[in-house]
Amino acid sequence: NEQIFINLAKKFKIKIFVLTHGLGLENFNSDYLDMLKFNRVIDNVRFDKLLVWGKTQELFYQQCDVPESKIEIVGSSIYDEYLTKKSLLLSDEYILLATQPLRKHTAKQLNVDNRKKYSDVIKKIGKIVSNSNKKLVVKLHPLDEEVDYAQILGELKENVVIVKQGNIFPLIKKCELFITLDVSTTLLEAQICNKPAISIRVKDHGHGIPDIFKKQSFLSIEIDSLDSTMKKILFDASFKDELLKKGQLFLDEYISFQSQGSKKLVNFLESM
């Protein structure tokens, strides 16, 4: 659809702005770069301006040889409200798991082994949180249609709250620890709420290791390390504080004009 709209816009001489919509996988893996080329974000670009959230994305696309004149930092308008309130003291009531469903359009994610691994990881998370005497809240991804989490959790589901719809931010604000699977924009949202975050490696997207993992602003681990990692965060105050500091540094690099993104975007559009 995007390719069709871009071609039509070019035909009728309408300006094209590509707006960042989530946390990127910025790295120089060849498969990832091929995907960006296919989408005309790098190489044979078709847009007038690439609107990025901050310095991290700006530097990455410059290194991909996107002309500096075609890149504009506008912050992230979708997070203005939350960035304005990010300094508020927030409660710690439960462990929050945000799911990342297996995607239908990716054959690698639909094979039997990967589906079983996904289910096993969910079950292990439920068991580890239960053994730690913590409450688990599971927030389903908006595209999570097929997986029956109550069935996967079995008897563990008695101590789990499964939330199918709604905004995840109110849930993040009240959690003690945030967990998700692989790479998700919710990791950035946890940092906006100043919450410690863990990413559990499950699926291989084939797009390489994102540079965001190298910043260590959240912990990227295998499921077998979850128990010890949780205990480290929950009971080692200095370790938790250092993790949160790294999260805020990453957030400042990744999103410019915090709480002013909408104004910045409107001013840019008016100037064009």
Side-chain angles (χ1 to χ4, degrees), residues 15 17 49 51 72-74 263-272:
K15 288 184 178 180
F17 305 133
K49 283 282 188 177
L51 307 181
E72 187 80 18
I73 298 178
V74 295
K263 184 181 293 185
K264 180 67 177 176
L265 178 58
V266 169
N267 289 342
F268 165 77
L269 294 173
E270 287 179 342
S271 71
M272 301 302 288

Side-chain angles (χ1 to χ4, degrees), residues 173-194:
K173 287 179 179 179
K174 294 182 179 181
C175 79
E176 185 173 9
L177 171 64
F178 178 78
I179 302 172
T180 191
L181 309 178
D182 303 307
V183 184
S184 169
T185 303
T186 54
L187 290 165
L188 196 64
E189 293 166 353
Q191 292 174 340
I192 290 173
C193 295
N194 203 29

Side-chain angles (χ1 to χ4, degrees), residues 237-251:
S238 61
F239 178 81
K240 178 181 176 181
D241 288 344
E242 184 63 26
L243 183 63
L244 293 176
K245 287 178 183 177
K246 289 180 179 179
Q248 294 309 299
L249 288 173
F250 174 80
L251 187 65

Side-chain angles (χ1 to χ4, degrees), residues 61-91:
Y61 287 114
Q62 285 177 349
Q63 292 174 330
C64 292
D65 295 326
V66 176
E68 188 175 345
S69 61
K70 282 187 172 287
I71 305 172
E72 187 80 18
I73 298 178
V74 295
S76 177
S77 57
I78 61 174
Y79 293 136
D80 279 352
E81 176 186 353
Y82 305 104
L83 287 164
T84 301
K85 301 174 181 177
K86 74 172 184 176
S87 61
L88 297 177
L89 184 62
L90 306 172
S91 57

Side-chain angles (χ1 to χ4, degrees), residues 108-254:
K108 186 180 294 186
Q109 293 186 28
L110 293 179
N111 69 43
V112 174
D113 289 342
N114 280 338
R115 293 183 74 86
K116 184 179 186 303
K117 182 179 179 182
Y118 185 86
S119 297
D120 288 346
V121 166
I122 297 296
K123 189 181 296 183
K124 287 179 181 178
I125 293 172
K127 188 175 293 185
I128 290 168
V129 174
S130 177
N131 290 341
S132 67
N133 294 318
K134 296 289 184 178
K135 179 180 177 182
L136 177 65
V137 174
V138 179
K139 172 63 175 71
L140 304 192
H141 190 280
L143 298 179
D144 220 337
E145 303 166 349
E146 296 182 343
V147 180
D148 186 341
Y149 288 92
Q151 183 180 27
I152 291 173
L153 290 165
E155 61 184 24
L156 293 169
K157 69 177 181 292
E158 302 301 325
N159 298 316
V160 177
V161 175
I162 299 176
V163 182
K164 296 183 178 180
Q165 297 177 332
N167 189 343
I168 195 172
F169 259 101
L171 296 173
I172 297 177
K173 287 179 179 179
K174 294 182 179 181
C175 79
E176 185 173 9
L177 171 64
F178 178 78
I179 302 172
T180 191
L181 309 178
D182 303 307
V183 184
S184 169
T185 303
T186 54
L187 290 165
L188 196 64
E189 293 166 353
Q191 292 174 340
I192 290 173
C193 295
N194 203 29
K195 298 291 182 175
I198 295 175
S199 167
I200 298 176
R201 296 188 287 270
V202 181
K203 305 185 293 288
D204 179 10
H205 294 272
H207 291 153
I209 300 174
D211 288 345
I212 56 173
F213 284 169
K214 299 174 184 177
K215 301 287 186 179
Q216 297 184 329
S217 60
F218 58 86
L219 302 175
S220 175
I221 64 170
E222 300 289 344
I223 184 61
D224 292 340
S225 302
L226 178 60
D227 187 33
S228 59
T229 303
M230 274 182 52
K231 289 175 181 175
K232 188 80 170 171
I233 291 174
L234 297 176
F235 301 113
D236 187 335
S238 61
F239 178 81
K240 178 181 176 181
D241 288 344
E242 184 63 26
L243 183 63
L244 293 176
K245 287 178 183 177
K246 289 180 179 179
Q248 294 309 299
L249 288 173
F250 174 80
L251 187 65
D252 289 342
E253 290 177 1
Y254 209 84

